Amino acid sequence: MNYLFVLTLIFTVNTSIKKLVEIPITSKSQVYEMNKLKVTIVSVTDQCIQIIADDDELRTLNNSGFSYTIIFNDYREPVKKLLEKGTYHTYETLVQELDSIAINYPAITKLDTIGYSVEGRPMLGLKISDNAETEETEPGIRFTGCHHGGELISAEIVLYLIKQLTDKYSTDSYIKQLVDGRQIWCVPIVNPDGMYSYSRYNANGVDLNRDYGYMWGWDSPYPFSQPESRALKLNAEMHSFTLGFDYHSVANIINCLWDYTPIRPNVDTIMLDLAKEYYDSASYIDTIMHGCDWYPVSGSCQDAMYGCNGIIDYTIETPQDADPIPVCVSNIGAMLKMIERSGDIGISGIITDSVTGNPINARIEIEGIDWPVYTNPYTGFYHIALLSGAYTLKISSNGYSSKEITNIIVDSSVTAIDVPLILNNKYYVNKLVTITYTGNSNKTLSPALLGPEDDKSFSIGTGGEVVLDMGIPIKDSFTVYEGIDSTGNEGYEVLVSNMWQDSFVSLGVGTGTTTFNISVTGLSEARYVKMIDDGNVSNYTTPGFDLDAIESYRAFGITEKNNYKPNIMICSNPVINNLAIKITNSNEKNITFKLYNLAGQLLIKDIISEGQPNFSISTDKIPSNIYFLKIEGRNWATTKKVIILH
Ligand SMILES: [Zn+2]
C-alpha cells in the first residue's frame, strides 16, 4: 500500500469522528438558523443546543458566527463508558433476553424478525397478546426504542415493559386484561448496527429518525432509503396500530406531532389529552411539547406514522442515567395506561365486502379530524381513539362506494360500527407513500388528495414530489385532477411503477387536469404513481401542483372481458400452507393462476386443465403478507386478494 494513501486514509477516518459540542444560545430563533446548516441537533434547552458534528461541520458553524464547547471528542464515548458499567444490555444480550422471553411465554408472545439492518442484524419485534400467533380483531399499539443506537435507555424501557407484561400475566388481572384485549408490538432496537457500534446513526451513517417519508427533508439519501425505517413502515402497515410510542434519550419531554411544522395537527385534542395522561403517570417528565416548537425536524418516525398511516405516534425523551431501572419504573405506569387507552374509548369495527363478507382494506375518517386511519389488512378491523362526543364516520375503500354514518355517540366505552361496502369498480389514491417537504409550499393537508375529486386539493409544493399508492395495480388510463382553488394550470411530470421506491417510468408531463395512459410505458399495469411539480415558482396562494384526485377507469382484475365466469372460491383465507381453490360452473379447457405480491411481482404461475374442480398451491415458502391471485380463462379474468399467514 502506498504511504500517501495510508496517510490519506488515517486523515479521512480522523475527520469523520463526530464530536459532541454545546453551543450557548440567547434566543430560540438560533435553533432555526442552526437547522439550516443541517447539523445534527440532539437536544435544545433555553440556554444551549447540543449537536453532533465533525470538523468540517464545526468550521461551518464557526463561519456562521456560532461559538461552541467540546463536551466529548468522540460523541460515542459516554455510551461506551455506560456499557462498560454493565448495567445496560448490549445488542447481543438484549436479543438473548427476547429469545428466552419468547421461549418462556409461548402462549402470549410471538417473536418476529421485522427486517434486517444494513449489516444484516435482525430487527426483532415481539408481539404480546393472547393468541399471539393469530391476527385478531383487537386494537394495536407499538413501542419502539433505539432509533438512535447510543440511546440505550430507550431499549431498556421497552424491554422492561415486555418483562412486566409477560412476568405478571398469570398473576395480575389488570395486565392479563391488557394483554388479552390488545395486540402489543415491541421493537426495542430499531437500529441494531448503531447500538452495536455506540452510534446514533445506522451503518450507512444515516440518522434513521430523519429518513421517514412524510414531509421528508433531504436529511437522508431519499425517503425511506434505509432498511430499518422501511421495516418499521411495513410493520405499521401490516398491523394498523392506534397509538405508537418511540423512546429516545436526550431530555425529559413528551414530544408530539408535528416535528416538521408548527401548525397543529387535526388530531391535537385527543393527542394532547393522551399525552397529559402519560405526563401525569411519569414523574420525571418536565413538559409536553409539539416537536417543531422544541426544534424542527423533517422525516421523523412520528410524522410518517401519523401522516401516512393515521397512527398517533409520540416521541418520548428520557434521561440515560447509570442505572436504567428507575427510568424504566417511572415509565411503566404510563405505558400500561396507554395500552389501556389504545382501545378503551372511540369507535371500532370491521369493514367487509358486502357480497363475499371478506375483510377489505379501507380508510376511516372522522369528520372534523379528516385524517384517515386504515383497517388491519388481515382482518378488516379498525379502531379510532376518540374523546366522548358525537361523530360522523366516513368509510372509503378502493373499488367500493364510500359510506357515511352520522351521529355516532361515543361515551366512555367503545362504540362498535361494522360496515359492509358495495363494489363500484372506481379507483382513487388510497394512501400517501412519501412526500417531500418544500417548506411553506406544502400549505394544504395531504388527505385532500385521497379519494375522488371533491374540490379539496393538496399543494405538493414548488418542485415537490409525492408517491401515491393506488391500492392495487391500475390499468390503461387514469386522470389527474387539479384542484379548482389554484389560479391557473400548473405543470408536473407523472411516473408510474409497481414498486413504491423505484423503477418509475415517466408518462410525460401534464398541465392542469390531464389523462394519462400507462400503456405508453410498456407496462401493462402499475400500482404507484409519482408526481413531480415542474418547479416553476408561482405567486399562487398554494404553490406547486394542487392535486385533488387521481381516478382510474379500469382496475386490475376487476373488469371482466364478458359476462361468463366460473365460480371460483378460495377455501380458506387467510391461507396457512396451502392455497386451496374450488372451481364450479367451468367450461374452460385451461385456467391460469398467477400469484403476485404487493409490488406486482409474479411469484407463482400454474395452469390447470378441465375437470379439476379442486386445486391447491403450496404457500409454505411464501412469507406472511397480502397477495393478489389473478385467475384467467380464455375470455375472462378475475383477481382475488389472498392473505398468507403462517
Ligand atoms: Zn434519539
Side-chain angles (χ1 to χ4, degrees):
M1 194 185 284
N2 175 311
Y3 188 59
L4 189 65
F5 178 69
V6 174
L7 269 182
T8 313
L9 197 67
I10 291 166
F11 185 71
T12 312
V13 170
N14 275 341
T15 53
S16 71
I17 290 173
K18 289 182 183 261
K19 298 176 169 62
L20 180 68
V21 307
E22 201 164 87
I23 299 148
I25 55 167
T26 48
S27 137
K28 235 5 198 333
S29 65
Q30 289 172 284
V31 179
Y32 289 83
E33 284 173 46
M34 198 157 303
N35 231 23
K36 282 187 212 143
L37 300 175
K38 293 280 174 196
V39 292
T40 306
I41 298 174
V42 292
S43 90
V44 175
T45 67
D46 289 339
Q47 293 82 36
C48 72
I49 305 174
Q50 282 198 351
I51 67 158
I52 294 172
D54 61 23
D55 290 343
D56 283 348
E57 290 166 323
L58 289 176
R59 265 190 294 277
T60 312
L61 273 179
N62 248 338
N63 295 341
S64 307
F66 289 103
S67 63
Y68 58 83
T69 314
I70 296 173
I71 314 279
F72 287 103
N73 270 315
D74 178 347
Y75 79 94
R76 297 168 301 175
E77 262 170 61
V79 180
K80 273 186 214 166
K81 290 213 174 86
L82 205 56
L83 277 171
E84 279 162 17
K85 287 197 168 79
T87 48
Y88 282 83
H89 285 84
T90 61
Y91 173 74
E92 291 91 339
T93 59
L94 204 143
V95 167
Q96 283 161 13
E97 187 95 44
L98 288 178
D99 258 332
S100 64
I101 290 167
I103 290 164
N104 290 335
Y105 301 98
I108 54 161
T109 62
K110 179 180 135 178
L111 188 59
D112 197 8
T113 301
I114 66 160
Y116 291 90
S117 68
V118 172
E119 290 178 346
R121 294 190 174 85
M123 293 169 66
L124 296 181
L126 188 77
K127 179 186 171 189
I128 305 174
S129 187
D130 63 336
N131 309 312
E133 291 292 334
T134 315
E135 196 73 24
E136 292 189 300
T137 53
E138 291 169 353
I141 182 169
R142 184 171 71 180
F143 297 91
T144 49
C146 262
H147 260 93
H148 297 135
E151 296 175 6
L152 305 174
I153 185 69
S154 60
E156 297 291 340
I157 293 169
V158 179
L159 178 64
Y160 191 79
L161 172 69
I162 292 171
K163 285 179 169 172
Q164 291 288 306
L165 292 173
T166 51
D167 287 348
K168 293 187 175 168
Y169 178 76
S170 59
T171 55
D172 184 322
S173 62
Y174 175 59
I175 284 187
K176 183 175 189 313
Q177 189 192 326
L178 295 181
V179 169
D180 289 351
R182 303 283 181 274
Q183 305 202 95
I184 306 158
W185 276 84
C186 298
V187 185
I189 310 168
V190 173
N191 180 4
D193 299 345
M195 190 181 185
Y196 191 78
S197 59
Y198 326 109
S199 167
R200 176 183 179 86
Y201 310 94
N202 77 346
N204 285 333
V206 172
D207 185 333
L208 294 175
N209 209 28
R210 308 289 183 273
D211 187 48
Y212 287 80
Y214 191 78
M215 298 298 174
W216 172 85
W218 289 273
D219 293 323
S220 73
Y222 52 90
F224 292 115
S225 63
Q226 303 303 306
E228 295 91 349
S229 53
R230 287 199 295 270
L232 229 57
K233 172 194 198 294
L234 183 66
N235 174 257
E237 281 171 356
M238 285 172 81
H239 307 292
S240 310
F241 308 111
T242 308
L243 303 178
F245 292 86
D246 187 32
Y247 289 83
H248 285 255
S249 170
V250 280
N252 307 333
I253 291 173
I254 298 176
N255 178 98
C256 301
L257 300 164
W258 298 103
D259 282 329
Y260 83 96
T261 179
I263 296 166
R264 300 307 186 225
N266 295 357
V267 75
D268 209 38
T269 312
I270 176 94
M271 179 186 73
L272 290 179
D273 197 76
L274 292 168
K276 178 73 172 45
E277 282 194 61
Y278 198 111
Y279 172 88
D280 288 344
S281 301
S283 54
Y284 74 91
I285 291 174
D286 296 333
T287 185
I288 300 167
M289 287 190 97
H290 290 86
C292 191
D293 292 355
W294 190 25
Y295 65 95
V297 160
S298 286
S300 74
C301 177
Q302 69 174 23
D303 280 8
M305 287 307 140
Y306 189 69
C308 300
N309 300 306
I311 299 164
I312 306 175
D313 204 44
Y314 298 86
T315 306
I316 311 285
E317 294 281 358
T318 61
Q320 183 152 278
D321 301 329
D323 181 2
I325 297 301
V327 181
C328 296
V329 170
S330 62
N331 275 286
I332 191 70
M335 295 171 99
L336 297 177
K337 189 80 197 162
M338 291 301 111
I339 296 173
E340 191 184 337
R341 301 296 268 139
S342 68
D344 71 344
I345 182 168
I347 305 174
S348 276
I350 296 169
I351 312 297
T352 51
D353 178 297
S354 64
V355 176
T356 65
N358 287 336
I360 53 180
N361 280 321
R363 296 193 305 276
I364 326 287
E365 277 156 282
I366 295 289
E367 195 180 276
I369 298 177
D370 302 321
W371 208 280
V373 305
Y374 290 83
T375 50
N376 181 303
Y378 300 99
T379 61
F381 177 83
Y382 71 93
H383 177 82
I384 306 178
L386 292 167
L387 300 173
S388 301
Y391 295 97
T392 294
L393 194 67
K394 190 180 171 194
I395 303 107
S396 321
S397 180
N398 252 334
Y400 292 86
S401 299
S402 297
K403 219 172 199 175
E404 204 167 87
I405 302 169
T406 56
N407 207 29
I408 301 170
I409 306 299
V410 170
D411 50 25
S412 56
S413 62
V414 175
T415 307
I417 307 279
D418 292 343
V419 185
L421 295 181
I422 297 163
L423 266 178
N424 72 358
N425 284 350
K426 285 186 177 162
Y427 291 80
Y428 306 96
V429 179
N430 182 52
K431 202 171 206 174
L432 180 72
V433 184
T434 65
I435 169 140
T436 52
Y437 183 49
T438 58
N440 292 331
S441 298
N442 308 106
K443 271 181 187 163
T444 44
L445 298 175
S446 60
L449 59 77
L450 304 170
E453 195 193 356
D454 57 3
D455 299 343
K456 283 184 222 139
S457 58
F458 175 59
S459 147
I460 70 175
T462 306
E465 201 175 300
V466 282
V467 175
L468 308 160
D469 182 359
M470 297 300 290
I472 64 165
I474 55 170
K475 276 186 155 181
D476 303 327
S477 60
F478 62 89
T479 300
V480 173
Y481 289 94
E482 181 171 35
I484 55 161
D485 56 334
S486 80
T487 16
N489 292 338
E490 290 170 284
Y492 54 91
E493 184 183 5
V494 171
L495 304 94
V496 292
S497 175
N498 282 303
M499 318 273 282
W500 62 268
Q501 290 166 273
D502 47 39
S503 308
F504 279 93
V505 186
S506 181
L507 289 180
V509 295
T511 308
T513 296
T514 308
T515 297
F516 296 88
N517 201 309
I518 293 172
S519 63
V520 304
T521 61
L523 292 173
S524 59
E525 59 198 27
R527 178 169 160 183
Y528 299 96
V529 178
K530 184 191 270 195
M531 296 194 53
I532 306 171
D533 180 73
D534 65 5
N536 285 349
V537 179
S538 61
N539 295 320
Y540 305 149
T541 45
T542 56
F545 184 70
D546 302 308
L547 179 58
D548 181 339
I550 295 179
E551 185 180 73
S552 168
Y553 302 120
R554 271 184 58 192
F556 174 80
I558 302 297
T559 313
E560 280 100 32
K561 287 171 187 161
N562 65 18
N563 288 332
Y564 161 75
K565 194 175 71 173
N567 293 325
I568 295 167
M569 200 180 83
I570 295 175
C571 300
S572 76
N573 208 1
V575 175
I576 312 295
N577 288 322
N578 257 310
L579 173 55
I581 300 147
K582 198 175 170 68
I583 306 160
T584 49
N585 184 32
S586 169
N587 59 5
E588 288 286 334
K589 279 230 163 357
N590 292 303
I591 299 177
T592 309
F593 293 83
K594 292 176 184 167
L595 188 71
Y596 293 88
N597 64 15
L598 288 175
Q601 291 162 320
L602 179 64
L603 303 179
I604 294 177
K605 183 180 170 181
D606 220 324
I607 299 171
I608 70 154
S609 49
E610 199 179 1
Q612 256 189 282
N614 296 305
F615 181 70
S616 82
I617 300 170
S618 169
T619 57
D620 56 352
K621 296 219 162 46
I622 297 177
S624 297
N625 209 329
I626 301 161
Y627 298 86
F628 293 103
L629 182 68
K630 187 172 185 181
I631 308 150
E632 289 170 313
R634 201 160 39 91
N635 280 313
W636 56 270
T638 188
T639 299
K640 292 186 183 295
K641 188 170 81 178
V642 173
I643 297 163
I644 294 179
L645 204 57
H646 295 296

